[in-house]
Amino acid sequence: MAAGGSGGGGGGMFCMGDGMVMGNGFGVAFGDGAMCALFLFKGAALDTPAKYALAVVGTLLLAMCVELVRLVRSQLKTRPRAPLVRDAVHALLFAVQMTCAYWLMLVAMLYEAVLFTALVLGLALGHLVSRVVIRRLEPPTGVVPINGAPTERSPLTDAACSPCCGDD
């Protein structure tokens, strides 16, 4: 296997190899003897500090994107449009959301601790941003009984769903 790029100070290697997937438990893909992680696509080995940092930021943004696309999909339900156009846009956004969610699953399967942390933080930040946006766009509406107790129903309560599949 080819050696990865050299790190910043000391002339040491950032990581080793052409990139690996599915490590043996959580670890980091840099440092002495660490195998480089392969980020989503062949040839995208995270073999330099810059590539690694870009992958961490990209993972965080991709995870936020999943939550924000889910928000846009939920808002489409309330917008008056021709049914076919609305359904086509909804289907396209669902395809984007699912593609991003499956890419995030592949990132999680790297078992790379920093990338996994960026993934979870991105989902949390995206959810937080979604809740803030919803709170500013629409006040709570209606009362819906949950487990026999009346509860306010709003887009905020509707937003508590899986980041993968949304709220169909």
Side-chain angles (χ1 to χ4, degrees), residues 38-127:
L38 184 61
F39 190 74
L40 296 177
F41 300 101
K42 186 176 181 178
L46 305 180
D47 56 2
T48 67
K51 288 180 183 178
Y52 189 83
L54 189 61
V56 170
V57 171
T59 298
L60 184 108
L61 293 175
L62 185 62
M64 287 182 71
C65 179
V66 168
E67 281 293 304
L68 297 176
V69 169
R70 186 194 49 74
L71 168 67
V72 171
R73 284 182 51 228
S74 71
Q75 293 300 306
L76 279 179
K77 291 179 180 179
T78 62
R79 304 289 185 250
R81 284 200 178 101
L84 183 60
V85 172
R86 184 183 60 235
D87 291 345
V89 170
H90 197 275
L92 178 64
L93 288 172
F94 181 75
V96 168
Q97 180 182 356
M98 292 305 297
T99 300
C100 293
Y102 278 112
W103 282 347
L104 289 173
M105 177 198 64
L106 293 173
V107 170
M109 289 174 62
L110 289 173
Y111 292 101
E112 208 290 330
V114 177
L115 290 174
F116 185 78
T117 302
L119 187 157
V120 172
L121 286 175
L123 288 172
L125 286 172
H127 191 73

